[in-house]
Amino acid sequence: MSIIVQKFGGTSVASVTHIEHVARLIMAARNAGDQVAVVVSAMGDQTDRLDSLANEVDFNKPASRREVDVLLSTGEQITIAVLAMTLMKFGCAARSFTGAQAGILTNSSHTRARIQQIDTGALQNSIDDGEVPVIAGFQGVDEFGNITTFGRGGSDTTAVALAVVLKARECQIFTDVKGVYTTDPRVVDSARCMDQVTFEEMLELASLGSNVLHSRAVAFAGKYQMPLRVLSTFDDTPGTLITIEDESTMEQPIISGIAFTRDEAKLTVLGVKDVPGVAWRILGPISEADIEVDMIVQNVAADNTTDFTFTVSRDDYVQAMDILQQTTGITGIGAREVTGDNRIAKLSIVGVGMKMHAGVASRMFEVLAEKAINIQMISTSEIKISVVIAEEYIELAARALHAAFDLAEDSLTGK
Amino acid sequence: MSIIVQKFGGTSVASVTHIEHVARLIMAARNAGDQVAVVVSAMGDQTDRLDSLANEVDFNKPASRREVDVLLSTGEQITIAVLAMTLMKFGCAARSFTGAQAGILTNSSHTRARIQQIDTGALQNSIDDGEVPVIAGFQGVDEFGNITTFGRGGSDTTAVALAVVLKARECQIFTDVKGVYTTDPRVVDSARCMDQVTFEEMLELASLGSNVLHSRAVAFAGKYQMPLRVLSTFDDTPGTLITIEDESTMEQPIISGIAFTRDEAKLTVLGVKDVPGVAWRILGPISEADIEVDMIVQNVAADNTTDFTFTVSRDDYVQAMDILQQTTGITGIGAREVTGDNRIAKLSIVGVGMKMHAGVASRMFEVLAEKAINIQMISTSEIKISVVIAEEYIELAARALHAAFDLAEDSLTGK
């Protein structure tokens, strides 16, 4: 009998009623012939409630990160107990496991711990006894017995790691959407839930805002080639399977999906001297202020000066602009002018098919040109092309590209 | 340097503001020269919230008691994290310990576990490192690593047990009252907070409704002769010291306190045959229905029949009466009539001084007679006399006895 690992996120276990529904899904999977191990997140907004309790104490000394973990880990502990009780109520043998009880050994980096080893003895015994082990996601224990947590996306990571060590045939991430879409269905009516996508593609889509799965879990699953399925707790459809590139596929779709995000802003330093160290002098103070930089574009100009542009989260725009004004004033990098725009959006097309198809970028630019959409920045990777455009054009661009690359149709089956 | 154990109950740690106040009390005790280990309960109504979550699942299979413990133990775990963080914020080294981390080993009786052994290694290291260990009350771990909880009064028990193994000079139970009173101050204006009371007396007072300390913790402290102090988190007074009988005391007060409870009801079976097995046939079905019986009184009558009276919690009155009607009908114990009254109250006078003073009972009955209060039932132990009277007389009786036995004055010091 093969094992599957099922992970249920916060919205899937938001109440006892939700949890009863989840219990029925688990039992259906068992009746279908699989052994099931379950990973759960904290119920609904419980993590936020615990977070605000920690914030109320208003103390950020590193030593207290140990205590933040003691606090936050209670969220998942509540869920495992309630779900295990519910399964038993329905006649299904079950047993809860905290991270420590599940043998999830981590390093001692509190609030952002990394899994080092999983001792599956207790879990395997539970499975062999015919029970459904219900494991608290997001948490583990260090070698000294201290409780640790994994940071954002931690429950997905727990699920993937357990799937790997339990040699599961699949890791299923239940969430409140049907799967991974070709683009945001709120913007493009014809957006399609993909049957399948590669780990590489998912990584690009996840980090670009298709907020279904955390990158860390996807990368982890990719590393161990553990098939990952994203599916809905509230809708009986197969969802999206994230797996390795299928060599047998006759025809590879050119692009798999279109991701976009509105919450960016761009800043440009015009006419800086084109000498080594300029990028560092511009971005150093920005990163010291803990502002994360996304795209960076620099062109060489003919007159020994260059224009340097980068994007930040829109929330950080004002602070980044202030820092930039000071930097260019003080360090004498010879900037002619600093400009910025916080009404921009970033759009990316993603697909492993790009590797095999020439002309994807030019097709993209052609489509945008046809709609008279000006491209402000361009950045590319092997399986992704990102552009920055004025925010007001984002829906138009997404719809035009979705149609141009035939995403509404399943290019493999013609559905 | 000597160690004291301080325990703070739910109302003392109801909010972050409360916890900041508690942190200052702990630091004051350290500044006064003691090493301090702290035991805490769940914040405010957190335990009730978790309880209702368990009730919502509505499942009582014994197997799920393991999961109830996983659930309930999160309440104290939240408090230890928040208090440890708060102490650190104030510059006081601290470290939280779950029951398992504190080395509190119990048997496997989930929801009502008993402490079997405490491995003080980790706690002692923490104290030696100059930290305040902050320990989750009410919980431990069994030999298989399962989380267990202790049932009602469990945090007091944790505190006393830790005080014993850490060889503390005193165990301080902080609560929301000033200490143990001679009687209920809401009823008798002149009720006095006692400086000192014996373990024996406290046991009688606790089980009779002076709801400050759980009997189990008092019995535990008495067994190991660990001085216990009940004092207020919100009022800077020394509270009440519960300790062994002080042989050096020149004059022992005759009675120490008056306890009473209104939430009882009595049931009487009149004219049953006075033969062996009658008590069992009457009370067997009552206890099978999980109804707890308090006082039991039976008199032998002249005509080979007897009247059998007992009291139950007022909440159980209707059910107990139903059962009694059936029992007397079916088993043919020959009862003439079944009567009952749920407008009664029980009042007890308690004091080790009774052992040395004759006539305490008759003095009590005289006082009640003077006020024309009819005594319905009488029950006595070595250091306690309890009577059942009509509920409407309870305040009058308490005040009259409080005055008659000079409880308002401290009889040792004449204060």
Side-chain angles (χ1 to χ4, degrees), chain B residues 51-120:
Chain B
D51 254 333
S52 62
L53 199 54
N55 288 333
E56 210 184 325
V57 178
D58 187 25
F59 183 55
N60 283 310
K61 202 167 165 179
S64 78
R65 293 227 316 270
R66 176 186 185 277
E67 304 305 336
V68 171
D69 281 352
V70 172
L71 181 65
L72 292 186
S73 63
T74 61
E76 285 72 22
Q77 189 172 327
I78 290 172
T79 320
I80 56 172
V82 176
L83 177 54
M85 288 167 73
T86 304
L87 282 164
M88 283 190 263
K89 178 169 85 169
F90 290 163
C92 175
R95 174 175 288 256
S96 72
F97 290 83
T98 62
Q101 290 171 335
I104 300 173
L105 190 73
T106 73
N107 61 15
S108 300
S109 296
H110 287 292
T111 72
R112 59 186 85 130
R114 299 253 154 198
I115 298 175
Q116 292 193 316
Q117 193 187 313
I118 300 181
D119 176 359
T120 56

Side-chain angles (χ1 to χ4, degrees), chain A residues 152-337:
Chain A
R152 288 185 66 80
S155 289
D156 290 348
T157 306
T158 301
V160 172
L162 287 175
V164 170
V165 295
L166 292 173
K167 298 182 175 53
R169 69 167 174 80
E170 191 170 293
C171 180
Q172 301 180 340
I173 310 288
F174 283 81
T175 174
D176 52 359
V177 297
K178 282 189 186 183
V180 184
Y181 280 78
T182 49
T183 192
D184 188 339
R186 287 168 303 186
V187 168
V188 182
D189 286 342
S190 60
R192 181 176 51 82
C193 179
M194 293 183 266
D195 295 335
Q196 199 165 324
V197 65
T198 69
F199 291 116
E200 271 180 300
E201 289 169 329
M202 190 62 210
L203 275 176
E204 296 288 6
L205 291 167
S207 62
L208 287 168
S210 299
N211 250 333
V212 222
L213 261 179
H214 199 266
S215 317
R216 184 169 158 197
V218 178
F220 200 162
K223 180 175 171 188
Y224 292 97
Q225 305 200 348
M226 171 55 60
L228 203 53
R229 188 180 294 278
V230 176
L231 65 177
S232 169
T233 307
F234 311 105
D235 189 284
D236 186 20
T237 48
T240 302
L241 182 66
I242 305 155
T243 183
I244 53 171
E245 206 170 325
D246 188 353
E247 305 289 348
S248 70
T249 301
M250 293 293 291
E251 191 183 353
Q252 190 78 41
I254 299 174
I255 78 165
S256 296
I258 300 175
F260 52 84
T261 167
R262 288 180 174 85
D263 59 356
E264 300 224 355
K266 73 167 180 177
L267 297 106
T268 301
V269 189
L270 293 164
V272 294
K273 288 178 194 154
D274 189 19
V275 293
V278 164
W280 172 77
R281 277 197 255 168
I282 292 173
L283 293 184
I286 299 285
S287 83
E288 271 164 34
D290 246 345
I291 296 174
E292 214 167 304
V293 172
D294 181 15
M295 288 171 79
I296 303 169
V297 172
Q298 182 182 351
N299 283 325
V300 178
D303 57 352
N304 275 334
T305 69
T306 182
D307 301 336
F308 188 94
T309 304
F310 60 95
T311 63
V312 297
S313 165
R314 197 172 284 178
D315 293 338
D316 295 327
Y317 176 66
V318 173
Q319 194 193 352
M321 184 57 91
D322 280 353
I323 292 170
L324 220 51
Q325 301 281 11
Q326 288 169 31
T327 311
T328 52
I330 294 164
T331 56
I333 52 176
R336 196 169 66 240
E337 195 185 348

Side-chain angles (χ1 to χ4, degrees), chain B residues 143-162:
Chain B
E143 59 180 317
F144 308 108
N146 297 304
I147 297 168
T148 54
T149 70
F150 301 168
R152 289 186 65 80
S155 289
D156 290 347
T157 306
T158 301
V160 172
L162 286 175

Side-chain angles (χ1 to χ4, degrees), chain B residues 33-319:
Chain B
D34 281 307
Q35 286 180 308
V36 183
V38 178
V39 174
V40 288
S41 300
M43 289 173 70
D45 57 356
Q46 182 69 15
T47 301
D48 292 339
R49 291 185 51 232
L50 293 169
D51 254 333
S52 62
L53 199 54
N55 288 333
E56 210 184 325
V57 178
D58 187 25
F59 183 55
N60 283 310
K61 202 167 165 179
S64 78
R65 293 227 316 270
R66 176 186 185 277
E67 304 305 336
V68 171
D69 281 352
V70 172
L71 181 65
L72 292 186
S73 63
T74 61
E76 285 72 22
Q77 189 172 327
I78 290 172
T79 320
I80 56 172
V82 176
L83 177 54
M85 288 167 73
T86 304
L87 282 164
M88 283 190 263
K89 178 169 85 169
F90 290 163
C92 175
R95 174 175 288 256
S96 72
F97 290 83
T98 62
Q101 290 171 335
I104 300 173
L105 190 73
T106 73
N107 61 15
S108 300
S109 296
H110 287 292
T111 72
R112 59 186 85 130
R114 299 253 154 198
I115 298 175
Q116 292 193 316
Q117 193 187 313
I118 300 181
D119 176 359
T120 56
L123 288 181
Q124 196 63 59
N125 283 344
S126 175
I127 293 170
D128 293 346
D129 287 350
E131 293 172 345
V132 172
V134 180
I135 302 118
F138 176 72
Q139 59 178 256
V141 65
D142 75 3
E143 59 180 317
F144 308 108
N146 297 304
I147 297 168
T148 54
T149 70
F150 301 168
R152 289 186 65 80
S155 289
D156 290 347
T157 306
T158 301
V160 172
L162 286 175
V164 170
V165 295
L166 292 173
K167 299 183 175 55
R169 70 167 173 81
E170 190 170 293
C171 180
Q172 300 180 340
I173 308 289
F174 284 81
T175 175
D176 52 0
V177 296
K178 283 189 186 183
V180 183
Y181 280 78
T182 48
T183 193
D184 188 338
R186 289 167 303 187
V187 169
V188 182
D189 286 341
S190 60
R192 180 175 51 83
C193 178
M194 292 184 267
D195 296 335
Q196 198 164 323
V197 65
T198 69
F199 292 115
E200 271 180 301
E201 288 169 330
M202 190 63 211
L203 275 176
E204 296 289 5
L205 291 167
S207 61
L208 288 168
S210 300
N211 249 334
V212 222
L213 261 180
H214 199 268
S215 317
R216 183 169 158 196
V218 178
F220 200 161
K223 181 176 170 187
Y224 291 98
Q225 306 200 348
M226 170 57 59
L228 252 186
R229 187 180 295 277
V230 175
L231 66 178
S232 169
T233 307
F234 311 105
D235 189 283
D236 186 19
T237 47
T240 302
L241 181 66
I242 305 154
T243 183
I244 53 171
E245 205 171 326
D246 188 351
E247 305 290 347
S248 71
T249 301
M250 292 294 292
E251 191 182 354
Q252 191 78 39
I254 299 174
I255 78 166
S256 296
I258 300 175
F260 51 85
T261 168
R262 289 181 173 84
D263 59 356
E264 301 223 354
K266 73 166 181 180
L267 298 104
T268 301
V269 190
L270 293 165
V272 294
K273 288 179 197 153
D274 187 22
V275 293
V278 164
W280 172 75
R281 279 197 255 168
I282 293 173
L283 292 184
I286 299 284
S287 82
E288 271 164 32
D290 245 345
I291 297 174
E292 214 165 304
V293 172
D294 182 16
M295 286 171 81
I296 303 170
V297 173
Q298 181 182 351
N299 283 327
V300 178
D303 57 352
N304 274 336
T305 70
T306 182
D307 303 336
F308 189 94
T309 304
F310 59 96
T311 63
V312 297
S313 164
R314 197 172 285 179
D315 293 339
D316 295 327
Y317 176 66
V318 174
Q319 193 193 352

